[in-house]
Amino acid sequence: MEPMNMLTTVVHLISLATFLCLVGPEFNLTQRVGAEKTMRCLERERKALIEFKKGLLDDDGVLSSWGSEDHKRDCCKWWGVRCSNKTGHVTAIDLHCPVDDDFLPLQTPLGGKGQSIPDFIGSLNSLKVLNLAFASFAGNVPTHLGNLTSLHILNVSWNSDLSINNLEWLSRLSSLRYLDLSVVPFEQTLWPETIVNLPDSLEKLQLSTCGLFETIPFTINSSASLSVVDFSYNNLTLSSVSNWLQNFSTSLTSIGLSHNNLAGPIPETFGHMEFLQRLDLSGNKLSGSIPKSFRNLSHLVSLSLSDNQLSEPVSELLEKLSEHAGQSLESLWLDGNKLNGSLPDISTRFSSLRELVVSNNQLDGSLPQSFGLPSSLESLGLRGNRIMGLFPDIKTFGLESHLKFLDLSDNQITGPLPDLTPYSSMIELYLQGNQLQGVITEAHFSSLTRLRVLDLSFNSLSLNISADWNPPFQLEAIQLASCKMGPQFPKWLQTQGGFFALDISSAGISDTVPDWFWDLSPRIEYVNLSYNKIDGKVPDLSTKFSGAQVIDFRNNGFWGLMPSIPPEVKSFHLSHNNFSGSISFMCTDTTHFTTSLDLSYNQLSGEIPNCFENYTDLVVLNLANNYFSGKLPHSLGFLQGLLLLHMRNNNFTGKFPRSLQNCTSLRMIDLGGNQFTGRIPLWIWTSLSKLIVVSLRHNKFSGNLPPSLCHLNNIQVLDFSRNRMEGRIPSCFYNFTSLIQKNNSTGKTIVGVGEYFGAVYNDVDYIDNILIQWKNQDSEYRSILRFLKIIDLSSNHLIGDIPEEFSVLRGLISLNLSRNHLTGKIIPGIDQMEMLESLDLSRNQLSGEIPAGLAHLNFLSVLDLSNNNLSGKIPSGTQLQGFNATSYAGNSGLCGDPLPKCHEDVPTIKGKGDDYEEDDDRLLTLEFYISMVLGFSVSFWGFVVTLFLKDSWRYAYYKFLSDSKDWVYVTMKVSLVRLQRKFRPH
């Protein structure tokens, strides 16, 4: 949960608790039976509640006190129910579901059966408190609630299956003080006509995630009471919100407007709210600088401006806030903007500041000794800037540091890691992605007894730690990627039994995993041992790591049978190992939630099990480079969200699997290096129109290339090489939009796998790859894949001419049509393919001359025109003469550098400019000269006769000559003076 949202939630809960106390002791919701009373609840209300219970889901027995037995007849003693001591009427119903910090329910929500809020609640005229938050009720919020004129607190928040299609009833709640409808969607039909007047008594209004569109559909006559508003996660605009809030500038203390559609400069309105304590404007499109009126916010405690487009120097922003908020401000969130400059010394300006986050901005410079932070600071985030220099000494953070959270990741901090002993209060330390270097010893951590998160990844650090080291801390997250700690497996990990995340990838470990490791932490959710030389067998991970979400053992030496996949795992990467056997373990009765499965580059064999209906969340499936055989299973059709499919270099047989027709989200399909046969079905080009990379190379596909192939507008890599394709090449390649554009790339090398399974590991990426023939050799490409734009139709049985439409593919960088039966000439417009780096037309039956435009392709580095019937002189130009003679071999009619010289009777091939010159020469005929003489004579004598006969023209002409002479004289004189001054000795 975002820190600002968590803080807002806590404030809301405190506010609710305060209200429950304010409404009187007889309405205090402790959810326990109070003192014994002789008064029983009214029979009518008791029966209604019993009927209500029948529709609720009470798996946890929360409502066990509700019943018709004699000892349960007093509903005033029931859990969640309170009554008036005087009248016996029900005055409070609290059936909310308690949740944890991540809003996950701690018990079964009572409305879990899709129960609607019963209408009878509207008849409880004495009701003052109604709390159904997080209870999973459904349907429309009943308008009968408008009859509850005594109601002080109404909270039906976080019931996303509820909806509101009428607001009028809210205007009748004349005693309402607290209203929370968060995460209850308002129907769009309410806008823009509906404007409802809320009671003047209202003090707190919570409408987060309600689907509010542009305007707020409420008004309040009096501004004396309203102190807290939360309109976060809606679609409100800045002008409407600013005008609405302006009416309550003297009473508001807390404003939540995060994640709306607020754009432009922050209005001065907020700075005039003198009692404002909390302001959250994060997740919008606010730009410029904070207004000068923010200097007036003397009561400000918490300010979040995260994830906007603010662009002023951070020193100026802090100076404005420090003028009056310096003594009160405790939390300041500025991350995700465009703030610049260096962080100034603020050690004395913000005496109460506990949290300062300026991550992901454009801060630069170093952290000099003059830089200081207030001693009250507990959390500092500067991740993702351009901060340079050495890791700051403890003196930089003031004489006494109470820092508990420090994040300097992804900067340019250099030098060794200093003594961390003074950071004894540190709980979370993030230093990844810098340029730290040197050796880390046990002494660095000797006083960090409270440390729970340690991230030193992606630096140049080495750990020199004894095998029997017993650290003073118990870590929950251990992130040491690229920190050298081998060759032995780190034994000190055995002392850390409660971690949920471990990353020791690329750590130089060459050892067998000890048995104790597999049982070390039952809490583990993320484990990464990749890019080491770790060997040994892997046990059944479905029992050892049953709660894991990410398991990454790539590029090691593990062997034996492939371990079972834990049902909860989202990312399971075991490629580049020595696992063997089948993967029949995938077929269980359990539904898996895996989004990324990569078992490539192992020694797996057998058929692919036909049970992918249990893996419908898959986004990435990579089984390439194994020994699988048989046909692809029909159940692949259940993977409708699949983006990347890799099956290359196995022994698959049969026709192109029809079930893939359902995988309409596919961006990449790689079936190369198998034994597939038959025609490529036409539905591929229409059903899978989002494809960016298609590799069917090295199979036995046959048939023609249909024109429907050109429906792949986004295609960047099209590889049908080494098949049995026949017929002509379609002439519709001008539809390949991505290949026409020189600089545009629609492909993505990296798929953010974490996006598909929540925010905890949203930085888990899958870097895609493809095997292609590039510059005459097979190569696997990963990080630069999105820049490749390739067509390879080589080694087939294609006939006919090369379509002239190829010339429009200005973004294409590699074209391979070799080893076919193509005839005709090389397309004359080939010079338009400006980005071409590799061209292979060898081993065809092409004839005619080499187009002069080929010499104009400045990026061309690979050329093979050998074994054709080309003739004539090779066009002159540094590009074509720079290639080896083998590029032109096997063309008996070709001559000229780098081949032997041409005979004198062989004409020189001229470029485009030469052709134009030749055409121009043909124009210089006798008729041309006669026309030129006649034209000059008529013009000259016509001009002279006119001057002689017309006085006004003659006067104007001589005046023009005189003025021109004067202008030339003055200009030359001024220029001469300037030159004299310039060269005059001083």
Side-chain angles (χ1 to χ4, degrees):
M1 185 190 302
E2 296 181 9
M4 195 66 187
N5 293 338
M6 184 181 297
L7 178 62
T8 305
T9 303
V10 171
V11 172
H12 296 168
L13 294 176
I14 293 174
S15 302
L16 178 57
T18 304
F19 267 112
L20 295 176
C21 295
L22 289 174
V23 295
E26 66 269 31
F27 310 121
N28 187 20
L29 291 187
T30 61
Q31 293 188 335
R32 295 177 55 208
V33 178
E36 291 293 330
K37 300 288 189 300
T38 56
M39 175 69 67
R40 293 182 181 275
C41 68
L42 301 182
E43 184 66 12
R44 177 179 60 84
E45 295 179 353
R46 187 188 69 81
K47 288 182 177 180
L49 289 173
I50 287 293
E51 192 65 27
F52 177 37
K53 178 186 176 182
K54 293 179 181 179
L56 301 179
L57 183 66
D58 189 21
D59 291 345
D60 299 318
V62 174
L63 303 181
S64 59
S65 59
W66 292 35
S68 300
E69 298 89 339
D70 288 342
H71 66 285
K72 297 181 180 180
R73 292 188 64 82
D74 189 358
C75 66
C76 297
K77 298 179 181 179
W78 291 353
W79 183 93
V81 179
R82 290 295 173 268
C83 305
S84 169
N85 290 336
K86 297 178 180 179
T87 64
H89 281 290
V90 173
T91 55
I93 296 177
D94 184 358
L95 302 181
H96 83 278
C97 176
V99 295
D100 62 14
D101 291 341
D102 295 318
F103 294 119
L104 297 176
L106 299 176
Q107 67 185 38
T108 304
L110 294 172
K113 290 183 179 179
Q115 172 73 13
S116 59
I117 300 175
D119 290 341
F120 86 86
I121 291 182
S123 65
L124 302 176
N125 296 328
S126 299
L127 200 65
K128 294 193 175 184
V129 176
L130 178 60
N131 186 2
L132 304 178
F134 294 95
S136 295
F137 284 98
N140 289 323
V141 177
T143 58
H144 295 80
L145 296 182
N147 299 331
L148 304 177
T149 56
S150 299
L151 199 64
H152 290 177
I153 298 174
L154 175 59
N155 187 355
V156 294
S157 64
W158 289 85
N159 287 278
S160 56
D161 291 329
L162 278 176
S163 62
I164 295 179
N165 60 5
N166 186 300
L167 296 172
E168 301 294 340
W169 57 274
L170 288 168
S171 63
R172 305 199 303 269
L173 302 178
S174 56
S175 302
L176 196 63
R177 300 182 186 177
Y178 180 104
L179 175 61
D180 193 345
L181 302 177
S182 300
V183 201
V184 178
F186 287 25
E187 294 188 2
Q188 292 300 314
T189 54
L190 298 174
W191 280 271
E193 294 82 6
T194 305
I195 299 293
V196 175
N197 191 38
L198 294 177
D200 297 346
S201 58
L202 193 66
E203 297 181 16
K204 293 179 173 58
L205 178 60
Q206 317 280 2
L207 298 176
S208 172
T209 321
C210 289
L212 302 182
F213 184 72
E214 292 189 354
T215 59
I216 301 170
F218 299 109
T219 60
I220 303 175
N221 292 332
S222 173
S223 61
S225 300
L226 191 64
S227 62
V228 175
V229 294
D230 183 5
F231 300 137
S232 57
Y233 291 91
N234 285 291
N235 290 295
L236 300 174
T237 60
L238 188 58
S239 58
S240 64
V241 167
S242 178
N243 293 334
W244 196 91
L245 293 175
Q246 199 166 12
N247 298 323
F248 312 100
S249 59
T250 60
S251 63
L252 284 171
T253 61
S254 178
I255 300 174
L257 288 170
S258 67
H259 297 88
N260 274 277
N261 195 23
L262 312 183
I266 301 174
E268 299 280 349
T269 304
F270 296 106
H272 299 312
M273 298 177 179
E274 55 181 317
F275 297 107
L276 192 62
Q277 298 177 19
R278 291 176 174 83
L279 177 61
D280 187 354
L281 299 175
S282 61
N284 285 287
K285 301 175 183 178
L286 300 170
S287 58
S289 57
I290 67 170
K292 295 180 180 179
S293 60
F294 272 40
R295 299 176 184 270
N296 304 325
L297 299 176
S298 58
H299 294 86
L300 193 64
V301 174
S302 176
L303 174 62
S304 179
L305 301 174
S306 304
D307 299 319
N308 280 285
Q309 300 172 13
L310 302 177
S311 57
E312 67 178 317
V314 67
S315 57
E316 295 181 10
L317 184 150
L318 293 173
E319 189 275 329
K320 295 174 193 174
L321 292 176
S322 65
E323 186 162 330
H324 284 95
Q327 304 302 312
S328 61
L329 194 62
E330 298 179 5
S331 178
L332 179 58
W333 292 77
L334 303 172
D335 53 306
N337 282 285
K338 300 177 181 178
L339 302 177
N340 53 70
S342 301
L343 201 63
D345 184 345
I346 57 172
S347 57
T348 59
R349 290 200 240 172
F350 296 93
S351 59
S352 302
L353 193 63
R354 294 186 300 105
E355 293 179 295
L356 176 60
V357 182
V358 203
S359 299
N360 299 313
N361 277 279
Q362 299 173 8
L363 304 188
D364 51 22
S366 58
L367 299 178
Q369 292 299 319
S370 59
F371 166 80
L373 296 170
S375 59
S376 59
L377 197 68
E378 298 178 356
S379 178
L380 175 63
L382 297 175
R383 171 191 291 261
N385 285 285
R386 298 193 292 264
I387 299 173
M388 300 178 292
L390 299 174
F391 186 91
D393 187 84
I394 189 63
K395 296 177 182 178
T396 303
F397 297 121
L399 296 176
E400 182 180 2
S401 176
H402 298 288
L403 272 178
K404 298 178 181 178
F405 176 98
L406 177 60
D407 188 354
L408 299 177
S409 301
D410 300 322
N411 281 285
Q412 301 172 28
I413 298 173
T414 59
L417 192 68
D419 180 14
L420 298 176
T421 303
Y423 296 90
S424 57
S425 299
M426 192 69 67
I427 297 175
E428 298 183 29
L429 178 61
Y430 301 89
L431 300 175
Q432 75 163 51
N434 281 285
Q435 301 170 23
L436 296 171
Q437 55 190 355
V439 178
I440 300 176
T441 66
E442 303 165 17
H444 282 87
F445 307 107
S446 59
S447 67
L448 303 185
T449 57
R450 303 178 62 185
L451 194 64
R452 293 294 175 266
V453 176
L454 176 63
D455 190 349
L456 304 177
S457 303
F458 306 112
N459 285 282
S460 299
L461 297 169
S462 299
L463 272 68
N464 184 12
I465 293 173
S466 62
D468 58 350
W469 180 47
N470 188 9
F473 44 68
Q474 281 293 313
L475 295 177
E476 295 179 355
I478 306 170
Q479 307 280 4
L480 299 174
S482 298
C483 293
K484 302 307 176 185
M485 62 181 71
Q488 282 76 35
F489 197 88
K491 189 177 179 180
W492 63 270
L493 287 178
Q494 193 171 4
T495 66
Q496 308 295 302
F499 58 86
F500 67 85
L502 172 67
D503 188 350
I504 52 174
S505 59
S506 303
I509 301 173
S510 303
D511 199 0
T512 302
V513 178
D515 292 338
W516 53 259
F517 174 77
W518 305 112
D519 299 306
L520 186 57
S521 179
R523 297 179 53 203
I524 198 159
E525 298 179 9
Y526 177 99
V527 56
N528 189 346
L529 307 180
S530 63
Y531 294 95
N532 286 288
K533 296 180 180 179
I534 302 173
D535 60 18
K537 285 188 175 182
V538 178
D540 184 358
L541 296 180
S542 63
T543 58
K544 298 295 184 180
F545 294 160
S546 58
Q549 294 192 39
V550 176
I551 297 176
D552 191 348
F553 293 170
R554 288 174 295 171
N555 293 78
N556 279 290
F558 290 113
W559 52 275
L561 297 178
M562 179 68 67
S564 298
I565 305 175
E568 300 297 323
V569 79
K570 307 301 188 297
S571 179
F572 194 67
H573 293 174
L574 275 70
S575 65
H576 293 84
N577 280 284
N578 297 312
F579 292 110
S580 59
S582 71
I583 56 173
S584 57
F585 62 83
M586 292 182 62
C587 289
T588 64
D589 295 332
T590 307
T591 299
H592 287 71
F593 300 97
T594 311
T595 60
S596 178
L597 177 62
D598 187 352
L599 307 180
S600 62
Y601 288 94
N602 279 286
Q603 300 173 26
L604 302 172
S605 58
E607 295 190 357
I608 305 296
N610 189 26
C611 53
F612 283 96
E613 64 271 15
N614 295 330
Y615 295 83
T616 55
D617 289 343
L618 271 177
V619 175
V620 176
L621 176 59
N622 191 344
L623 303 177
N625 292 84
N626 281 285
Y627 299 100
F628 292 117
S629 58
K631 297 181 179 180
L632 293 184
H634 296 295
S635 58
L636 286 174
F638 286 96
L639 308 181
Q640 297 183 14
L642 193 65
L643 297 180
L644 312 177
L645 176 62
H646 292 269
M647 296 288 185
R648 73 168 179 263
N649 293 347
N650 282 283
N651 295 309
F652 293 118
T653 58
K655 296 183 178 181
F656 196 97
R658 186 175 182 82
S659 58
L660 292 181
Q661 187 172 1
N662 299 325
C663 303
T664 55
S665 298
L666 271 173
R667 303 293 193 275
M668 146 87 78
I669 182 169
D670 185 354
L671 303 182
N674 284 286
Q675 303 293 323
F676 290 110
T677 58
R679 293 178 177 270
I680 301 174
L682 297 179
W683 54 258
I684 293 180
W685 322 122
T686 53
S687 298
L688 308 184
S689 59
K690 297 178 181 178
L691 281 168
I692 298 171
V693 176
V694 178
S695 177
L696 305 181
R697 68 193 305 267
H698 200 185
N699 278 283
K700 298 178 181 179
F701 289 115
S702 58
N704 296 336
L705 292 175
S708 55
L709 166 69
C710 299
H711 289 150
L712 302 180
N713 302 91
N714 297 321
I715 198 71
Q716 288 187 202
V717 175
L718 184 66
D719 190 349
F720 291 166
S721 62
R722 302 178 70 179
N723 279 283
R724 300 172 180 175
M725 308 303 298
E726 302 169 341
R728 296 177 177 272
I729 301 175
S731 59
C732 55
F733 281 17
Y734 53 81
N735 287 332
F736 293 157
T737 307
S738 294
L739 299 182
I740 293 175
Q741 298 168 345
K742 290 192 294 184
N743 300 318
N744 185 48
S745 176
T746 57
K748 288 183 66 177
T749 300
I750 299 175
V751 174
V753 176
E755 300 172 8
Y756 296 89
F757 56 85
V760 177
Y761 303 110
N762 59 7
D763 59 344
V764 178
D765 293 328
Y766 184 83
I767 302 178
D768 203 7
N769 63 87
I770 186 66
L771 183 70
I772 58 172
Q773 187 179 80
W774 173 249
K775 299 186 177 180
N776 295 327
Q777 61 182 4
D778 287 350
S779 303
E780 183 176 294
Y781 287 88
R782 297 170 63 84
S783 57
I784 66 167
L785 172 58
R786 67 189 180 95
F787 299 112
L788 296 181
K789 295 185 176 183
I790 294 172
I791 293 179
D792 190 346
L793 305 178
S794 63
S795 300
N796 281 284
H797 305 301
L798 301 175
I799 61 173
D801 296 345
I802 300 174
E804 294 184 7
E805 286 76 11
F806 269 109
S807 63
V808 303
L809 304 182
R810 296 179 179 86
L812 195 68
I813 64 172
S814 177
L815 175 62
N816 191 344
L817 303 178
S818 65
R819 292 174 171 81
N820 281 286
H821 306 296
L822 300 176
T823 56
K825 297 182 178 182
I826 300 175
I827 54 175
I830 197 168
D831 58 312
Q832 298 179 43
M833 303 171 72
E834 303 172 28
M835 306 304 293
L836 207 60
E837 296 182 29
S838 177
L839 176 64
D840 191 348
L841 303 179
S842 64
R843 298 183 184 276
N844 281 286
Q845 300 168 24
L846 300 174
S847 59
E849 299 174 342
I850 298 175
L854 195 61
H856 301 153
L857 298 179
N858 298 325
F859 297 107
L860 194 65
S861 59
V862 174
L863 176 66
D864 193 348
L865 303 179
S866 64
N867 297 292
N868 280 285
N869 298 317
L870 300 173
S871 59
K873 183 178 181 180
I874 298 173
S876 59
T878 56
Q879 286 293 107
L880 299 188
Q881 274 65 51
F883 293 112
N884 193 285
T886 56
S887 297
Y888 308 100
N891 292 280
S892 57
L894 275 183
C895 58
D897 194 18
L899 297 179
K901 292 183 178 180
C902 298
H903 296 292
E904 294 181 359
D905 57 343
V906 176
T908 301
I909 300 175
K910 303 179 187 293
K912 200 173 198 180
D914 296 332
D915 292 340
Y916 287 157
E917 184 178 350
E918 185 178 23
D919 291 339
D920 290 342
D921 289 341
R922 294 193 189 105
L923 291 174
L924 303 181
T925 61
L926 178 61
E927 290 82 4
F928 173 79
Y929 291 115
I930 294 174
S931 300
M932 185 178 67
V933 171
L934 288 175
F936 175 80
S937 300
V938 171
S939 300
F940 175 79
W941 288 110
F943 178 74
V944 171
V945 170
T946 302
L947 291 180
F948 180 79
L949 296 177
K950 197 170 182 65
D951 294 336
S952 60
W953 281 38
R954 187 167 61 253
Y955 173 78
Y957 175 70
Y958 286 113
K959 185 177 186 300
F960 168 76
L961 291 178
S962 177
D963 291 343
S964 299
K965 180 190 69 175
D966 294 341
W967 178 84
V968 170
Y969 173 80
V970 171
T971 302
M972 293 180 63
K973 194 69 176 176
V974 170
S975 300
L976 181 62
V977 171
R978 287 177 177 172
L979 285 172
Q980 290 173 344
R981 288 178 179 175
K982 181 175 181 181
F983 295 102
R984 182 181 300 164
H986 296 286

